[in-house]
Amino acid sequence: MGQGGKPGRAHAYDGELGAAVARAQDGDEAAFAMAYRIVQPGLLGYLRGIVGDDAEDVASDAWLEIARDLGRFRGDGAGFRGWTATIARHRALDHLRRLRVRPRSAGLDQDAVLDLPGPHSTHDQALESLSTAQALELVRGLPRDQAEAVLLRVVVGLDGPAAARVLGKRPGAVRTAAHRGLKRLARELGVAGADGAGGADGRDGEGVTDGGPRTLGEST
Amino acid sequence: MGERLNDGAGHGRRRAHPDDGVPGPPGFEARLAQALREPGDLAGEGSEGELRALAAFRTAREAGAHHVRTRRRDDWRPRARRHTVRSLRVTLCALVAGLALGGAAFAAIGSGVHGDGADGARRTEPSAGAPADASDPSGTSSAAPSTTDEADRDRPASAGDDDAHCRAYDKVRGRGDAMDSTAWRRLVTAAGGEKNVPAYCAAQERRTANGAGSGKPGGDTADGPAKPERSPARGQGGGAGKGSGGEKGSGADSGSGSGGAVTPAKPPASAKPGTSAKAADPAKAQDTGAGSGG
């Protein structure tokens, strides 16, 4: 079992994380390293959904700011997730702004043809074979607000109010966006009808070719 | 294995958010999350990013940046707790502000009492003069307070006016327009001609200085004799002024501090009429001006 591989784990780590943050605020370097290891995977997953391959650089910048402002933070483990996600998001938006001013050559990975699982496979097969690149591509195909809501909830492990605070929106709007995004992802993976939650609209194979914006940076 | 993983995670999510139905199969979110976190992300010890973050942490710690104020956006405590803290802070602020304002108000009341005290002292002065008048054998007791009152009220106003005009005179002289104004014309008339104005002003200045120094004792002690003389003093100011100008002009100057009781009592009396008895004043001004000049 990989550590921190799923949102349930993210919640499970919150007590530990809160204690580590508290000790780090008192100057304990090892505790800060522990907090880093707990938070970084989710943060990186979130950033990868926004800025793609630059996620590592952006996360690095974000951690510099986190380390600098750690003394200002107040809250528990879950709060620390939200706080760090806010900082990372600001860094990511700065990064996208810079890119827009000075565009570089198109990213390579995004142009690669992805072998998405077909709509005929069972949902177990589809999920089992879902690679990181595929999942990322799917999420980045969502409208920006849905993609961010899904990432904050699923990858970072934030609850509704915290995700809303990170995004600066009302909790209701964020919950709706996350719901729609997940539904669409499920449809694109062809697993929507498995438990009926996707309802009547998800079945008829419109999934993969759904024309959404391909990159988040352009979807605002 | 995937099944077990999915079930557990899905259950957790459901329990955390019972109200929003999760689209897709139970383990969908968990599987998605797992896919979105690369295995490489499980940050091993000593990864480059971690080392950089730790270096930044040390730098900040040594710079003392870890003891700074919390901004609103850094406060991620659960809502309820934040509220109690804030309401506590608000209560404290209100209390302090209330105390401060109340103290200021109280202090203001205190200072008001002070001002009243000063006023009272000033007000008791004429009433202290009144018994003195009443003890006068002469029948002018009723007229006396009225004249002193009038004098008291008059003196600061007219004397102040003249003083101000005198002070401004030097600056304005030579510039034609200002000299045409009523106030200036009045000053010039009072001085008895434009070239007499400096002398008049000098006298005026001296008189106000004396008046401030010894006006009151003079007034009190001279009540009896001065009063009857006062009204005539206006009428025959020219004569009286001339008569005393030679010998006592200087006496009035030097005797201000000491007990020159009767003589200083006169100058204030004739200084007041500045506005009303202009005819008498110029003569007096000339006299004292000459006295001091010679």
Side-chain angles (χ1 to χ4, degrees):
Chain A
M1 298 301 277
Q3 356 153 351
K6 51 192 168 123
R9 282 304 180 88
H11 292 295
Y13 277 123
D14 274 354
E16 205 178 324
L17 177 59
V21 169
R23 272 186 288 133
Q25 284 182 314
D26 288 338
D28 187 340
E29 193 177 325
F32 184 71
M34 180 187 278
Y36 175 90
R37 276 175 225 148
I38 293 174
V39 170
Q40 170 72 350
L43 215 54
L44 207 50
Y46 170 55
L47 287 174
R48 208 176 276 126
I50 307 180
V51 298
D53 290 339
D54 295 327
E56 301 256 0
D57 292 342
V58 174
S60 185
D61 283 353
W63 275 104
L64 295 189
E65 190 174 332
I66 292 166
R68 195 193 64 206
D69 287 347
L70 185 67
R72 296 182 189 271
F73 170 74
R74 293 284 174 279
D76 56 6
F80 189 70
R81 277 181 210 285
W83 185 67
T84 51
T86 309
I87 292 175
R89 180 167 191 264
H90 287 155
R91 295 280 74 77
L93 296 186
D94 285 350
H95 180 78
L96 290 179
R97 225 170 281 137
R98 271 200 304 275
L99 283 189
R100 213 166 294 151
V101 171
R102 183 169 41 81
R104 11 162 248 195
S105 55
L108 295 176
D109 285 353
Q110 287 165 24
D111 295 340
V113 179
L114 290 166
D115 185 20
L116 289 171
H120 301 297
S121 48
T122 69
H123 78 263
D124 271 349
Q125 283 170 335
L127 285 171
E128 280 302 312
S129 61
L130 185 64
S131 75
T132 299
Q134 286 165 348
L136 206 56
E137 184 68 11
L138 284 174
V139 169
R140 297 192 67 175
L142 295 174
R144 164 74 156 273
D145 60 334
Q146 293 182 17
E148 280 201 81
V150 167
L151 286 165
L152 285 176
R153 171 165 153 173
V154 172
V155 184
V156 182
L158 297 181
D159 61 3
R165 188 172 170 191
V166 172
L167 295 173
K169 291 179 178 168
R170 283 178 297 108
V174 174
R175 200 187 313 129
T176 307
H179 191 83
R180 286 200 184 133
L182 283 173
K183 202 154 101 180
R184 185 162 155 183
L185 286 177
R187 198 168 60 217
E188 291 182 2
L189 280 168
V191 297
D195 66 346
D201 61 337
R203 295 235 182 207
D204 35 337
E206 48 172 321
V208 187
T209 52
D210 211 356
R214 297 307 285 174
T215 58
L216 289 169
E218 293 157 8
S219 69
T220 26
Chain B
M1 172 194 170
E3 199 57 45
R4 195 159 57 91
L5 200 157
N6 291 348
D7 281 344
H11 190 58
R13 279 230 66 83
R14 286 271 161 92
R15 206 171 37 199
H17 305 277
D19 53 339
D20 46 20
V22 181
F28 176 64
E29 266 192 74
R31 185 65 193 89
L32 190 65
Q34 197 178 33
L36 285 170
R37 298 182 181 204
E38 277 186 41
D41 290 349
L42 302 176
E45 288 175 43
S47 71
E48 194 193 338
E50 183 179 333
L51 292 181
R52 282 188 64 187
L54 286 177
F57 175 78
R58 278 190 297 271
T59 311
R61 187 180 54 190
E62 272 142 40
H66 285 172
H67 302 282
V68 283
R69 252 188 69 224
T70 297
R71 299 159 298 188
R72 195 192 179 99
R73 66 168 187 260
D74 300 317
D75 191 350
W76 280 77
R77 281 171 289 194
R79 188 58 60 87
R81 211 165 121 215
R82 202 149 29 106
H83 266 305
T84 51
V85 169
R86 199 183 308 158
S87 68
L88 204 112
R89 204 178 298 161
V90 164
T91 312
L92 268 178
C93 283
L95 199 74
V96 168
L99 277 176
L101 283 176
F106 190 74
I109 292 169
S111 70
V113 164
H114 254 302
D116 270 358
D119 266 1
R122 223 177 298 138
R123 249 182 260 126
T124 54
E125 185 233 328
S127 71
D133 283 337
S135 67
D136 264 349
S138 63
T140 58
S141 57
S142 62
S146 73
T147 45
T148 42
D149 262 4
E150 195 181 40
D152 273 345
R153 234 180 295 126
D154 261 359
R155 191 186 303 164
S158 64
D161 263 356
D162 280 357
D163 274 355
H165 287 149
C166 285
R167 271 197 298 278
Y169 177 76
D170 282 337
K171 289 175 202 155
V172 186
R173 186 171 43 184
R175 264 179 270 159
D177 297 353
M179 294 307 289
D180 291 341
S181 76
T182 323
W184 287 113
R185 244 178 285 136
R186 201 179 293 155
L187 176 71
V188 170
T189 339
E194 206 170 321
K195 62 178 183 296
N196 292 329
V197 168
Y200 172 74
C201 283
Q204 193 78 25
E205 210 179 329
R206 210 174 305 126
R207 241 177 271 134
T208 50
N210 287 352
S214 66
K216 268 154 210 168
D220 274 350
T221 49
D223 256 353
K227 227 62 57 53
E229 270 176 73
R230 198 167 286 173
S231 34
R234 276 179 208 165
Q236 37 130 225
K242 262 170 221 157
S244 62
E247 310 102 278
K248 286 177 187 167
S250 63
D253 290 348
S254 60
S256 61
S258 61
V262 179
T263 17
K266 261 184 267 176
S270 54
K272 270 155 271 143
T275 47
S276 56
K278 283 158 210 156
D281 255 358
K284 191 111 186 27
Q286 270 171 314
D287 278 8
T288 39
S292 64

